[in-house]
Amino acid sequence: MAKKPVKNKTLWQRLRGNRLAWNLFLIVVIMLALAISAHLLMQLATRHGARCTVPDFSGIALADAEQLAKKHDLELHINDSLFVPAYEGGIILDQLPKGGVEVKPGRTVYITINSFRQKMVPVPYVASRSLRQAKNMLEIAGLEIKELIYRPDMATNYVLEEFYERQQILADSHIEAEMGSGITLYVGVEPSENNTFVPQVVGLSLHDAKVRLWESGLNVGKVIYEEGINLLNQKQARVYAQSNPAEQGLALGTPVDLMLTLDLDRVKRVRAEAEKLAREAAEERLRLEQEMVDSLARVALEGETPSEEPASEEATEDDFFE
């Protein structure tokens, strides 16, 4: 009886016949399928390729802005609030991303709105404290120094009295002020100590420059802004010039004018020069002070004369009875 010819098995058949190889093959296929499915789902979830243009919400009431955002498939999130009297309450002042930028649908737009009124805060009682302590207490309360007025007193740089809008603040006062308001401080100073040196504030923000001046016992004079600076970008502005150079000696309470710009490249250039001049002025001041100390020491030494000892005379018994 003739034997039937044995047919060669195909690769697929051999794979199916090998249990280990078949199981490994199935695992690889399943993993590839899961990876492709996840990729497709991710594309659908993130709307890959879909873009929309962010509207300009500036100047729009919050309720209208929410409807406009919904129309463009965007989300609004209130990130900050300011109080700008020139605008109505609830008006959007700023946004991020800016209007006209293309983003994916569903993106969150962070907005800054105008408060309906400025927040009221209690005015702390800071009399009988050092000027530095008083400044810190006011800053924590959300207030600042309006003016430093120095009066002759033995307690130099200690607050004698404080006023808010001509109303004196006492220990038992319960007075509130709008956040950001200025408080007038009357500070003591001995006449012989009525001088200070101007700090270097070029390159600082307005807030930091004010703090430096107050800590040095000086007032903030005129604040001059370059064109383009407003209440929304004011925090990004930096001092590029001050009316009195650093290390100049002034009487306590003297006002110093500040000039601000948004040109940070310009600020970087002028700050380097200002810091160099401040270092040189400080070194020169220290040198002159040392020369003065040395001169006074020499005068003191030259004024001293050797003490003359009185001649000792021995009294004799005869002299005693004369």
Side-chain angles (χ1 to χ4, degrees):
M1 184 174 175
K3 293 182 179 180
K4 293 183 179 180
V6 179
K7 294 182 178 179
N8 293 330
K9 293 183 178 181
T10 63
L11 178 62
W12 179 257
Q13 289 173 332
R14 291 200 301 272
L15 183 63
R16 290 290 300 271
N18 189 324
R19 176 172 292 184
L20 178 61
W22 176 249
N23 288 337
L24 290 174
F25 173 75
L26 289 179
I27 291 172
V28 172
V29 170
I30 292 171
M31 291 179 65
L32 286 173
L34 289 174
I36 294 171
S37 300
H39 177 72
L40 293 175
L41 288 174
M42 185 67 70
Q43 295 285 71
L44 291 174
T46 58
R47 304 180 190 184
H48 183 70
R51 310 291 289 180
C52 66
T53 302
V54 178
D56 185 2
F57 297 110
S58 300
I60 301 177
L62 180 58
D64 296 334
E66 287 176 340
Q67 293 182 359
L68 183 60
K70 187 176 181 180
K71 181 179 178 181
H72 287 77
D73 199 6
L74 298 169
E75 297 287 338
L76 290 184
H77 177 77
I78 300 175
N79 190 48
D80 197 3
S81 63
L82 297 173
F83 180 68
V84 184
Y87 294 93
E88 295 181 3
I91 295 296
I92 295 177
L93 302 174
D94 197 15
Q95 67 183 82
L96 188 69
K98 298 290 186 181
V101 175
E102 287 192 352
V103 298
K104 292 181 179 180
R107 171 72 183 271
T108 299
V109 179
Y110 297 92
I111 58 175
T112 300
I113 66 169
N114 190 41
S115 300
F116 288 88
R117 61 164 295 179
Q118 185 61 289
K119 181 181 178 182
M120 303 296 290
V121 296
V123 180
Y125 178 65
V126 299
S128 301
R129 296 182 181 272
S130 69
L131 178 58
R132 183 181 292 271
Q133 289 176 318
K135 177 193 69 67
N136 292 339
M137 290 175 66
L138 292 174
E139 193 170 86
I140 291 171
L143 303 169
E144 66 178 22
I145 296 173
K146 179 181 180 181
E147 185 180 10
L148 297 174
I149 301 176
Y150 281 85
R151 287 178 174 174
D153 193 273
M154 62 182 296
T156 298
N157 273 331
Y158 272 77
V159 178
L160 306 176
E161 295 177 329
E162 64 175 306
F163 286 80
Y164 171 63
E165 294 185 348
R166 298 183 179 180
Q167 186 174 4
Q168 185 174 2
I169 307 299
L170 303 174
D172 57 351
S173 297
H174 300 285
I175 298 174
E176 290 189 337
E178 290 186 353
M179 182 176 285
S181 298
I183 307 298
T184 300
L185 301 180
Y186 287 83
V187 187
V189 59
E190 287 193 9
S192 60
E193 299 179 5
N194 187 25
N195 66 290
T196 186
F197 294 95
V198 181
Q200 200 306 97
V201 298
V202 172
L204 301 181
S205 65
L206 178 59
H207 172 268
D208 292 344
K210 285 181 175 181
V211 169
R212 287 276 185 91
L213 291 173
W214 291 329
E215 288 179 346
S216 298
L218 298 169
N219 279 307
V220 180
K222 296 178 182 178
V223 178
I224 303 168
Y225 296 98
E226 278 195 338
E227 187 176 353
I229 300 177
N230 52 48
L231 289 171
L232 299 180
N233 58 24
Q234 198 176 95
K235 290 182 179 179
Q236 283 74 50
R238 294 292 181 269
V239 176
Y240 72 90
Q242 54 190 89
S243 59
N244 301 84
E247 297 300 322
Q248 179 183 358
L250 293 177
L252 290 169
T254 302
V256 176
D257 299 338
L258 303 175
M259 283 67 79
L260 286 94
T261 182
L262 290 172
D263 188 348
L264 299 185
D265 290 335
R266 177 184 181 186
V267 170
K268 187 177 180 180
R269 292 193 303 270
V270 297
R271 180 174 186 173
E273 181 64 20
E275 290 178 344
K276 177 185 174 184
L277 294 175
R279 284 193 301 270
E280 293 175 352
E283 291 171 359
E284 178 65 14
R285 174 165 62 85
L286 292 174
R287 185 185 66 79
L288 293 175
E289 289 177 354
Q290 187 60 48
E291 286 183 357
M292 178 64 70
V293 171
D294 294 342
S295 176
L296 292 174
R298 284 195 301 270
V299 170
L301 288 173
E302 291 172 359
E304 291 182 358
T305 57
S307 58
E308 297 181 358
E309 296 183 0
S312 59
E313 297 181 359
E314 294 184 2
T316 64
E317 190 174 318
D318 293 338
D319 294 332
F320 181 82
F321 287 103
E322 285 183 356

